[in-house]
Amino acid sequence: MIGLSLVLQEGKEITEFLEKHKEEVEENLLTEADKVRDKIAEIQVIGNINLVENAHRLIGYVVNQETEELIAFAEQEGIVWAKYSMTLTFKLDWVHAIRRTLWSFLYQYDKSLNKSENREEFYSTERTVNEHIDLFLNNFFISYSTFKDKLLEREKSLVENLSVQIIPINISTAIFPLIGAIDDSRSETIEDKVLEEVSRGRIETLIIDLSGVAQMEADVTHHLLKVIDGISLMGCKAIITGMRAEIASKMVKEGLSFRDKAEVRGNLQQAISANLVGEN
């Protein structure tokens, strides 16, 4: 008879054994995965994932030592689980249940050979099986984490872009209300978005309202001054309104000022009146 490690190298005999006992494998798997069992139908609905069929796929890749296919499958699974924000502990419990189930049936298969135990062969088999399952888990988690990072970056970019809204009030004048805390990352988004919108909309006067900004660091102020320089080069006049006393005080201490680069008004209403009615 062929030894177990050799069967794992060739794959065919053990695969046939597992296929013959497919229902028993599934029953054993569901018993082992008691925490996941009740979630199988829910996971199928959420992510169109058939956990049982996928378990058979993973076992097949492990038994046949199909490393490339196993890695590709792990990466695919990682993306799906990340995309639908499914609980990682369920996946971990499920894969551990697959590992225990596979070992249970490898033991049954080995017994069916009626061959005396070969310790060297057993440990070789153990290493092969566990290395492949661990390889699946490692690639799954890397894929999951990578997809999540990209998703978070896209969401962050979307939020930043949505937070930079330029509101036209007539054909040549627009208001740019700044709201909330502004860090270096958001400053860069503001700079790019404002220059793009001024150019696209052919805005001649941009009212930058700071009444919604609680604090502004020196680096952020420099970014805003660069924005004003940029729109000035495109023939757009900048008007600053709504600056809080604490921000003005901080700018004075740091030797910074908007007055040389932009018109400054006390509030948004004054700026709108001056530009729409022509008051000075």
Side-chain angles (χ1 to χ4, degrees), residues 149-164:
D149 287 345
K150 289 180 179 178
L151 187 62
L152 288 172
E153 191 61 35
R154 286 199 299 267
E155 289 176 348
K156 179 183 176 183
S157 177
L158 177 61
V159 169
E160 287 177 344
N161 281 318
L162 288 173
S163 68
V164 182

Side-chain angles (χ1 to χ4, degrees), residues 227-239:
V227 170
I228 294 171
D229 283 338
I231 65 174
S232 295
L233 290 173
M234 292 187 285
C236 177
K237 180 178 75 173
I239 301 175

Side-chain angles (χ1 to χ4, degrees), residues 39-49 80 84-86:
K39 296 288 184 178
I40 289 178
E42 180 182 332
I43 290 171
Q44 172 85 52
V45 171
I46 294 173
N48 193 27
I49 298 172
V80 172
Y84 293 101
S85 298
M86 290 187 286

Side-chain angles (χ1 to χ4, degrees), residues 213-226:
V213 178
Q215 60 182 12
M216 197 159 59
E217 299 300 326
D219 289 346
V220 175
T221 306
H222 283 298
H223 269 293
L224 196 51
L225 288 168
K226 284 173 62 180

Side-chain angles (χ1 to χ4, degrees), residues 15-32:
T15 300
E16 290 176 351
F17 178 84
L18 291 171
E19 184 62 31
K20 180 179 178 182
H21 297 86
K22 186 174 181 179
E23 291 186 4
E24 295 169 58
V25 169
E26 291 178 5
E27 288 175 9
N28 187 282
L29 182 58
L30 294 174
T31 300
E32 289 284 353

Side-chain angles (χ1 to χ4, degrees), residues 12-279:
K12 183 178 179 181
E13 292 187 21
I14 191 69
T15 300
E16 290 176 351
F17 178 84
L18 291 171
E19 184 62 31
K20 180 179 178 182
H21 297 86
K22 186 174 181 179
E23 291 186 4
E24 295 169 58
V25 169
E26 291 178 5
E27 288 175 9
N28 187 282
L29 182 58
L30 294 174
T31 300
E32 289 284 353
D34 56 333
K35 293 180 181 178
V36 184
R37 184 172 52 212
D38 296 335
K39 296 288 184 178
I40 289 178
E42 180 182 332
I43 290 171
Q44 172 85 52
V45 171
I46 294 173
N48 193 27
I49 298 172
N50 189 320
L51 284 179
V52 175
E53 285 302 316
N54 283 359
H56 288 300
R57 283 183 66 183
L58 176 55
I59 289 171
Y61 293 144
V62 171
V63 167
N64 292 289
Q65 298 186 40
E66 297 173 330
T67 305
E68 291 184 6
E69 290 84 351
L70 182 143
I71 291 173
F73 181 49
E75 291 174 348
Q76 175 190 336
E77 287 276 278
I79 290 172
V80 172
W81 280 71
K83 183 177 181 181
Y84 293 101
S85 298
M86 290 187 286
T87 308
L88 284 176
T89 53
F90 289 151
K91 186 65 174 181
L92 196 58
D93 287 345
W94 186 246
V95 174
H96 285 326
I98 292 171
R99 190 197 300 265
R100 292 191 295 270
T101 297
L102 177 56
W103 270 113
S104 174
F105 281 85
L106 287 176
Y107 171 74
Q108 291 181 40
Y109 177 79
D110 206 25
K111 282 183 64 177
S112 73
L113 297 178
N114 293 319
K115 188 179 179 182
S116 60
E117 182 181 7
N118 183 322
R119 288 186 176 274
E120 183 178 344
E121 192 172 273
F122 170 80
Y123 287 120
S124 173
T125 301
E126 180 185 38
R127 184 170 57 252
T128 299
V129 170
N130 288 333
E131 281 179 354
H132 278 74
I133 292 178
D134 290 341
L135 182 65
F136 173 86
L137 281 173
N138 288 340
N139 280 274
F140 169 84
F141 284 119
I142 290 171
S143 177
Y144 181 98
S145 178
T146 301
F147 185 87
K148 273 292 187 183
D149 287 345
K150 289 180 179 178
L151 187 62
L152 288 172
E153 191 61 35
R154 286 199 299 267
E155 289 176 348
K156 179 183 176 183
S157 177
L158 177 61
V159 169
E160 287 177 344
N161 281 318
L162 288 173
S163 68
V164 182
Q165 295 294 311
I166 294 179
I167 307 164
I169 56 176
N170 65 22
I171 194 169
S172 62
T173 305
I175 302 170
F176 173 37
L178 275 171
I179 301 171
I182 304 172
D183 55 16
D184 283 342
S185 175
R186 191 178 172 209
S187 294
E188 291 177 5
T189 302
I190 288 170
E191 186 176 338
D192 293 340
K193 183 78 171 178
V194 169
L195 294 178
E196 178 187 335
E197 288 296 312
V198 167
S199 175
R200 187 180 63 83
R202 298 181 181 179
I203 299 169
E204 296 176 8
T205 301
L206 182 65
I207 303 171
I208 303 173
D209 182 47
L210 303 179
S211 59
V213 178
Q215 60 182 12
M216 197 159 59
E217 299 300 326
D219 289 346
V220 175
T221 306
H222 283 298
H223 269 293
L224 196 51
L225 288 168
K226 284 173 62 180
V227 170
I228 294 171
D229 283 338
I231 65 174
S232 295
L233 290 173
M234 292 187 285
C236 177
K237 180 178 75 173
I239 301 175
I240 303 293
T241 70
M243 185 180 295
R244 292 172 181 252
E246 53 268 36
I247 295 176
S249 176
K250 195 170 186 178
M251 288 182 66
V252 169
K253 290 177 183 177
E254 293 168 348
L256 299 172
S257 174
F258 289 122
R259 286 196 177 278
D260 295 336
K261 297 177 180 290
E263 180 182 323
V264 179
R265 293 278 178 170
N267 56 54
L268 186 58
Q269 184 178 356
Q270 289 177 5
I272 293 174
S273 297
N275 281 273
L276 296 187
V277 182
E279 294 178 0

